[in-house]
Amino acid sequence: MHLVVQAIILGLLTGGVYALMASGLTLAFGVMRVINVAQGAMIVAGAYVSYTLFTDFHIDPFVSIVLMAPAAFAVGVLLQLVFLRPLRSDEREELSLLVTWAIALGIEGVLSVIYTTTYRATLPGYVNDSLTVAGYRIAVVRLVAFGISGVILLLLYLVLHRTRLGRSIRATVQNPTAARLLGVDAERVSAYGFGLSVATATAAGAVFGMVEPFNPGSHYDLISRLLTIVVLGGLGSLTGAVLAALVMGVSEAVLAATISPTWSSLVFFVILIGVLVVRPQGLMGATERGRL
Amino acid sequence: MVACRFPDERGVVVRVASHKVSLAMAAVALAVTAACGGASGGSSSGSTKPLVIGISLSFSGDFSDPGHAAELGYKLWADQVNKQGGVLGRKVQLKIVDDASSPNQVVTNYQTLISRDKVDLVFGPFSTLLTAPAARVAARYGYAFPEPSGGGPLVFQEKLGNVFFVQPAPVVNCGDPFVSYILSLPPSERPKTAAYPELDDPFAEPIAERARLKFEAAGIKTVFKEVYPPEMSDLTPVVEKMAAAKPDMVFAGTQSDDAYSMVNAMVQLGFSPKFLFQANGANSPVEFPSKVGAKNTEGIFSCGDWFPNSKAPGNQAFIKAYIAKYGGTAADIDSGSAEAYAVGEVVSEVAKKTGKIDNATIIKTLHSGTWPTVEGNLSWDKYGAPNGSTMLTEWIGGKLLPVYPAAVALHPPVIPKPPWGG
Amino acid sequence: MRTVTVPGLARGLGFTALFAAFPFVFTESWVVNIGIFTVMYAALATAWNVLGGFSGYLSLGNAAFFGMGAYGEAILFQHISIGSGYRPFWVLPLIGLGVAVAVLPVAWVAVRTRAATFAIVTISMLFIAQQLAFNLHSLTNGAQGLVMPLPPFPNTTFERPFYLAMVAVLALSVLLSWYVATGRLGLMLFAIRDDEDRARGLGVHTTYAKLFAVAISAGLTAMAGGVWAYYIGFIYPQFAVDPLVTIGAVLMAFLGGRGTIWGPTLGALILVPAQQYLAFSEGASELYLVAYAAIFLGVMLLMPRGILPSIADLVAARRSSNGAHRADGPRAEMPEAVT
């Protein structure tokens, strides 16, 4: 029992980080109907930048997030303008998948050249410390990662619900035509939305780099999990993504602890298939354009 | 060098052209592809032809770091040998190509090196995964295949007579010195119980399994055994279960990252067994302490085929030459470079001993006798598996030292392992 | 309906003959070796196209079928002998059929989702397949991999049987591709691509059509995987079920023209020799992924319909500007119009 509860705790902490990583992905889809397969690669890129800032300049990962965010936002806007806007809107969903996959390969290639394929990890001083709460050990670094993820998700929520840009984004997600009629510049919202999604990705990368070793090829495993999370949660739904991420974290950890680690990653996919059989639109997705 | 231009796409198949033209165009496309480089590379006029050695290494993809290390070793050997006039008077020329860590590409590369470029000899690529298919290609053409890093069981199961794994022992035997050492202790000092966390990997798992069988036969009880997948970057769940079983000894079949995360998890959970052996990862002189913390390395055992301070024949000269050519210190030298260098060494030695340097001679000669290299004195059985054994190493005072067998030890082993943090 | 035209037949037979004759004209081993991979990717791209190009449902999990075919061969020949060495080729149709049937239940779950979700679900399926390959030790030997018996072919013509087997798979793929495209199934798939809801409203059995396309695509891909397994000899999970195989096939189909019959083959003819050549030249290799990405992006943005349809457009435009023929606008996606 102790083992199971410990696993649940670990799973929640891991799930929180995945929730942050998945949030950008589902946001991109909701706003622009774009499946950003490069999200994984952007997260890894964020991890590398944060790692370099930490190892060479001794900048704390949390601070690196603040530093990276504006640059990442700008990069996101640029990518959207150059690669995504030219795609015809009726084919955008499918083509964006391939275009962003190509971008992901490009990012992987560049990172391989710069950093080679050695695994890295951002190891702040507290990496080996752990707290004991009610008999359960909690690694400090995972708690910090969870905390940062929570803060950023909260910030994202605030942006979406308390700022004008956020309202425009939500309006575009719910009903793009109506939004346009009300004066929302869909093109600009798309660009900013994508920028926001990339900024979230690099922030998630900084956090990710603290808890897991990574190399340029890590984005494959990452994106497959993230895509599965957003499909389970329902494409376009932020709450769904968070929920699904927590489900994933907990189910994998519990299975690893109780039965066997080798089968643990499969359990999540099985859950996905199970849900899709009953609800092809995912847990919180709608069959039409959804809410964020 | 024939300039290769691929035909403009428009020239290949155009819908409205007549059928004859389109068929002809398609034929041209295939022909030009084939003709690229079809002109055979070398017409070496000159008095003595260079000795061209073809090698496929991984410069991109998963194996690119070890691939680079091997390249350094091969090139250093070629330099050294050429400084002394080459092999049997022929200058060594290395033709190194990239296989992008892909078995498809490695097959293509050796095919091309042998049948198009008609290289004189070939040396092996990195990793059993690539060595196995490549060895078959070389065998078909009767080429000897001395290789630095394909030591997994699959390579020897192929029963190819042309393969030589240039390391002291097959990879799965890496734990043997540790087993011998433990069993050499008086029963009161031996561990009573053992745990076997194993990475699901063609090398790591067999190492642990082999040791487990030997330990069980000697009466050491197995209280934990679990296989974990390579993507599992946080080994806390595994380590927790293992710690709950309270083993005296942990024999871990690890590679690199899992070794680091296993130690990290053990430190975080405060679990410190009396004996800890990690097949790989813990033998990285620079990375291991940087990833787990230098204070945590004390007393951890590992196995190795090469160390900067090993007393193998020619090792110090190798290190000196390496530093002269590439800079840095002895601790920066990756064992992959030493392994590649040793491959070159055995070939030079065959030439010196027999006065010939063709593939048939190499194959025949290397199957008997012992050959001194920077990896130690090597000899092989008829399917290419080396007959020696690796060394047991231990972290003592922040340094990785060989400790067993006594003949190669630079320090006696230190047991039991102290608690974490020195 | 389906008419076998003389030009079409000539093209089909002609190209097949050309491909088949290749290793007898260019006998050098290394050339035939590149030919094997080229034809393999042509078959993979053509097979992918049956679902992805015709119906617009982008499957990104085809490498799973490839791996299933490869493992199927390897597992089979752990237990039976290869005879004179040709048995692994004779069993290919069985393997193709076996995989096609085996994927149906999973495919059924997948095709009930809509296009964007479908693509993602196929990616997940790919990773599940890879995980299974790693984990089902008793079947696949996990990370240790499986070994195919050594083929007994003579060294001078060693590659030939493999090459011809690949050509056979390609020919079958193109034939099936043509058969589907010119028949009712093709109409259903094109209708789905244009507007699935309307198609359904008109009574098209969309699920059945998609399932059939998946089965065909899977079976053909598995056969290519089987030949590959025999040629390389060593099957490891991460290489047998490799996302780059899928992405390569998709890129080639896009480059040549998805929705056409010969487009994917053309894409393969261009990209595979280029890729192998690039990797072989020293120094070019590290930028391999970046080059791949650049080509992909270039094709997406500049020639989104691919080479063959773009050429057809150009030709049609020139014709109409010559006043000779009023072209009804880009029709290159209809199979009758393109080779």
Side-chain angles (χ1 to χ4, degrees):
Chain A
M1 194 52 212
H2 182 276
L3 223 52
V4 173
V5 176
Q6 180 80 68
I8 293 179
I9 295 177
L10 179 66
L12 286 173
L13 294 178
T14 318
V17 178
Y18 274 96
L20 178 62
M21 294 196 274
S23 63
L25 193 56
T26 210
L27 178 64
F29 185 81
V31 174
M32 289 166 290
R33 311 294 291 181
V34 158
I35 303 170
N36 182 13
V37 180
Q39 185 83 353
M42 291 171 189
I43 291 173
V44 174
Y48 269 112
V49 171
S50 167
Y51 167 84
T52 312
L53 288 176
F54 180 76
T55 331
D56 296 343
F57 301 102
H58 304 291
I59 296 178
D60 185 74
F62 192 34
V63 176
S64 73
I65 293 176
V66 176
L67 291 175
M68 285 194 291
F73 185 84
V75 167
V77 172
L78 201 67
L79 284 175
Q80 203 273 346
L81 283 176
V82 174
F83 293 116
L84 295 171
R85 196 174 290 189
L87 300 175
R88 284 190 356 230
S89 56
D90 51 342
E91 286 192 312
R92 189 171 286 177
E93 267 180 43
E94 294 110 16
L95 287 187
S96 69
L97 198 89
L98 295 168
V99 168
T100 53
W101 196 322
I103 296 178
L105 288 180
I107 295 178
E108 183 187 345
V110 168
L111 287 175
S112 304
V113 172
I114 301 179
Y115 288 102
T116 78
T117 55
T118 320
Y119 276 87
R120 322 266 175 169
T122 315
L123 299 169
Y126 46 84
V127 72
N128 276 335
D129 301 340
S130 56
L131 302 171
T132 317
V133 175
Y136 296 107
R137 282 194 119 101
I138 303 179
V140 170
V141 68
R142 286 189 178 268
L143 195 59
V144 170
F146 182 81
I148 296 179
S149 305
V151 166
I152 298 182
L153 278 170
L154 191 63
L155 276 174
L156 188 64
Y157 178 83
L158 289 175
V159 166
L160 285 175
H161 287 265
R162 296 268 193 272
T163 68
R164 232 173 84 181
L165 171 66
R167 276 201 294 277
S168 311
I169 289 177
R170 284 187 298 129
T172 311
V173 170
Q174 285 178 19
N175 194 328
T177 320
R180 245 186 227 127
L181 288 173
L182 289 172
V184 171
D185 181 344
E187 297 292 0
R188 192 183 293 186
V189 165
S190 297
Y192 289 163
F194 200 70
L196 201 59
S197 142
V198 175
T200 327
T202 49
V207 174
F208 175 70
M210 287 199 288
V211 292
E212 296 200 12
F214 55 91
N215 79 349
S218 302
H219 72 103
Y220 282 115
D221 187 52
L222 206 53
I223 195 64
S224 71
R225 281 164 186 271
L226 295 179
L227 288 173
T228 327
I229 290 175
V230 298
V231 167
L232 178 62
L235 279 170
S237 162
L238 192 57
T239 344
V242 173
L243 198 61
L246 293 174
V247 167
M248 182 201 83
V250 171
S251 61
E252 275 198 28
V254 170
L255 208 78
T258 51
I259 303 185
S260 153
T262 41
W263 292 101
S264 62
S265 43
L266 270 176
V267 92
F268 182 61
F269 291 116
V270 170
I271 295 179
L272 171 74
I273 295 185
V275 171
L276 285 180
V277 168
V278 177
R279 262 179 87 87
Q281 69 271 33
L283 289 173
M284 318 225 15
T287 40
E288 300 160 27
R289 287 183 69 94
R291 283 193 295 283
L292 211 58
Chain B
M1 176 70 185
V2 174
C4 291
R5 283 191 64 248
F6 292 91
D8 184 353
E9 295 96 67
R10 227 165 279 194
V12 178
V13 176
V14 177
R15 177 172 77 91
V16 293
S18 76
H19 314 307
K20 294 203 195 78
V21 175
S22 67
L23 284 182
M25 289 289 182
V28 166
L30 290 176
V32 173
T33 311
C36 258
S40 86
S43 60
S44 45
S45 44
S47 43
T48 335
K49 278 173 45 198
L51 185 70
V52 183
I53 307 185
I55 313 174
S56 171
L57 287 177
S58 310
F59 294 127
S60 50
D62 288 334
F63 303 141
S64 60
D65 279 345
H68 276 295
E71 186 192 17
L72 296 180
Y74 282 137
K75 285 198 169 147
L76 180 65
W77 170 75
D79 270 5
Q80 296 290 95
V81 147
N82 285 340
K83 264 192 223 158
Q84 299 176 346
V87 174
L88 299 178
R90 298 167 66 179
K91 290 272 174 189
V92 167
Q93 217 178 69
L94 298 181
K95 190 165 167 60
I96 304 185
V97 290
D98 180 19
D99 53 41
S101 308
S102 147
N104 292 357
Q105 193 65 44
V106 86
V107 164
T108 300
N109 285 355
Y110 281 102
Q111 273 277 19
T112 314
L113 287 169
I114 294 177
S115 75
R116 181 189 81 175
D117 298 343
K118 310 225 191 299
V119 297
D120 298 297
L121 303 177
V122 289
F123 288 165
F126 178 76
S127 158
T128 299
L129 299 172
L130 300 179
T131 303
R136 275 195 183 178
V137 174
R140 284 210 304 271
Y141 291 95
Y143 273 62
F145 206 66
E147 41 94 0
S149 67
L154 269 185
V155 173
F156 313 120
Q157 276 163 20
E158 291 193 80
K159 300 210 176 32
L160 295 174
N162 65 327
V163 174
F164 299 96
F165 174 47
V166 181
Q167 275 197 39
V171 168
V172 292
N173 298 359
C174 149
D176 287 0
F178 181 70
V179 173
S180 307
Y181 168 62
I182 294 288
L183 296 181
S184 75
L185 297 171
S188 55
E189 289 180 44
R190 278 187 223 165
K192 309 276 181 304
T193 55
Y196 301 91
E198 304 169 7
L199 175 69
D200 187 12
D201 171 278
F203 317 109
E205 198 191 336
I207 294 176
E209 285 296 282
R210 185 180 158 94
R212 178 175 68 83
L213 292 172
K214 292 194 178 189
F215 279 134
E216 280 178 358
I220 299 181
K221 206 169 106 167
T222 303
V223 296
F224 174 86
K225 173 180 120 76
E226 190 156 279
V227 178
Y228 55 88
E231 320 77 61
M232 192 171 190
S233 50
D234 180 12
L235 290 173
T236 315
V238 177
V239 173
E240 268 195 323
K241 269 202 276 188
M242 181 166 70
K246 298 202 198 339
D248 293 328
M249 165 172 72
V250 171
F251 188 106
T254 52
Q255 276 285 29
S256 48
D257 295 295
D258 53 314
Y260 313 145
S261 58
M262 189 183 288
V263 172
N264 284 330
M266 288 201 250
V267 172
Q268 276 178 17
L269 291 168
F271 166 62
S272 176
K274 290 202 233 121
F275 300 85
L276 174 57
F277 176 92
Q278 290 190 312
N280 267 309
N283 49 15
S284 269
V286 176
E287 265 210 80
F288 188 60
S290 89
K291 288 274 165 37
V292 308
K295 327 184 252 78
N296 292 325
T297 60
E298 191 74 14
I300 299 183
F301 288 98
S302 187
C303 78
D305 55 293
W306 179 86
F307 303 92
N309 41 27
S310 100
K311 300 190 275 196
N315 193 30
Q316 298 308 316
F318 160 71
I319 295 179
K320 244 176 74 180
Y322 184 103
I323 296 178
K325 185 170 162 84
Y326 300 120
T329 67
D332 297 326
I333 303 180
D334 187 301
S335 61
S337 304
E339 289 152 15
Y341 188 83
V343 171
E345 280 189 300
V346 295
V347 166
S348 323
E349 285 167 23
V350 168
K352 229 178 277 183
K353 182 159 170 191
T354 63
K356 295 197 276 193
I357 196 59
D358 56 289
N359 284 298
T361 309
I362 297 179
I363 294 175
K364 207 173 76 164
T365 324
L366 284 179
H367 273 129
S368 55
T370 326
W371 303 85
T373 68
V374 297
E375 299 261 309
N377 293 315
L378 308 178
S379 70
W380 295 275
D381 71 9
K382 62 181 174 167
Y383 297 132
N387 292 327
S389 78
T390 51
M391 296 181 258
L392 178 65
T393 55
E394 189 182 8
W395 284 90
I396 301 177
K399 285 219 237 87
L400 186 61
L401 299 172
V403 296
Y404 189 88
V408 298
L410 289 180
H411 193 286
V414 169
I415 49 161
K417 192 183 94 59
W420 298 116
Chain C
M1 272 329 295
R2 183 178 296 122
T3 45
V4 183
T5 65
V6 171
L9 190 62
R11 271 196 291 271
L13 289 177
F15 282 134
T16 309
L18 251 173
F19 275 111
F22 181 76
F24 297 95
V25 176
F26 300 98
T27 54
E28 295 205 33
S29 291
W30 67 277
V31 174
V32 182
N33 176 62
I34 295 190
I36 293 177
F37 291 117
T38 308
V39 176
M40 179 179 93
Y41 268 102
L44 291 178
T46 308
W48 177 87
N49 189 42
V50 171
L51 180 68
F54 293 169
S55 76
Y57 267 65
L58 298 183
S59 159
L60 294 175
N62 275 35
F65 308 141
F66 186 81
M68 286 168 77
Y71 271 104
E73 276 272 315
I75 293 171
L76 192 59
F77 287 98
Q78 304 279 307
H79 303 293
I80 72 180
S81 94
I82 57 173
S84 61
Y86 290 96
R87 234 178 253 169
F89 299 129
W90 304 141
V91 305
L92 282 177
L94 260 169
I95 292 195
L97 267 170
V99 172
V101 167
V103 302
L104 284 177
V106 175
W108 179 78
V109 175
V111 301
R112 281 164 14 114
T113 63
R114 298 304 286 271
T117 317
F118 176 78
I120 296 176
V121 170
T122 58
I123 297 181
S124 311
M125 302 291 182
L126 176 62
F127 282 96
I128 296 179
Q130 203 185 58
Q131 283 291 314
L132 285 175
F134 271 114
N135 291 353
L136 290 174
H137 282 258
S138 47
L139 196 61
T140 64
N141 214 18
Q144 316 277 337
L146 283 177
V147 183
M148 279 290 285
L150 196 59
F153 306 131
N155 189 35
T156 42
T157 55
F158 183 81
E159 293 73 23
R160 219 179 269 171
F162 299 100
Y163 177 85
L164 293 172
M166 284 293 189
V167 171
V169 176
L170 174 63
L172 185 61
S173 304
V174 173
L175 184 66
L176 277 178
S177 200
W178 170 81
Y179 193 78
V180 167
T182 51
R184 249 183 55 195
L185 180 58
L187 282 177
M188 296 203 284
L189 294 173
F190 294 128
I192 292 173
R193 185 179 61 194
D194 290 337
D195 192 331
E196 182 161 4
D197 291 315
R198 189 181 297 177
R200 213 184 269 159
L202 289 172
V204 173
H205 294 290
T206 53
T207 308
Y208 154 79
K210 286 183 277 184
L211 270 180
F212 214 71
V214 170
I216 293 177
S217 191
L220 292 168
T221 308
M223 289 171 69
V227 180
W228 173 84
Y230 193 25
Y231 184 55
I232 298 280
F234 294 89
I235 298 112
Y236 300 103
Q238 66 269 45
F239 297 122
V241 186
D242 181 359
L244 282 178
V245 168
T246 307
I247 206 67
V250 173
L251 175 56
M252 289 165 206
F254 264 81
L255 178 63
R258 63 201 153 112
T260 66
I261 306 216
W262 286 105
T265 306
L266 176 59
L269 278 174
I270 295 172
L271 283 182
V272 179
Q275 171 193 52
Q276 301 251 316
Y277 182 71
L278 262 181
F280 199 76
S281 12
E282 240 180 303
S285 49
E286 285 180 344
L287 300 173
Y288 158 71
L289 271 178
V290 180
Y292 224 49
I295 295 176
F296 212 160
L297 286 171
V299 171
M300 295 283 120
L301 298 173
L302 301 173
M303 258 197 309
R305 300 233 314 282
I307 296 176
L308 286 183
S310 302
I311 293 178
D313 285 354
L314 262 177
V315 164
R318 200 167 296 163
R319 266 204 191 146
S320 66
S321 74
N322 284 347
H325 211 44
R326 261 256 160 231
D328 285 349
R331 278 260 226 103
E333 315 239 329
M334 295 305 281
E336 304 78 72
V338 190
T339 48

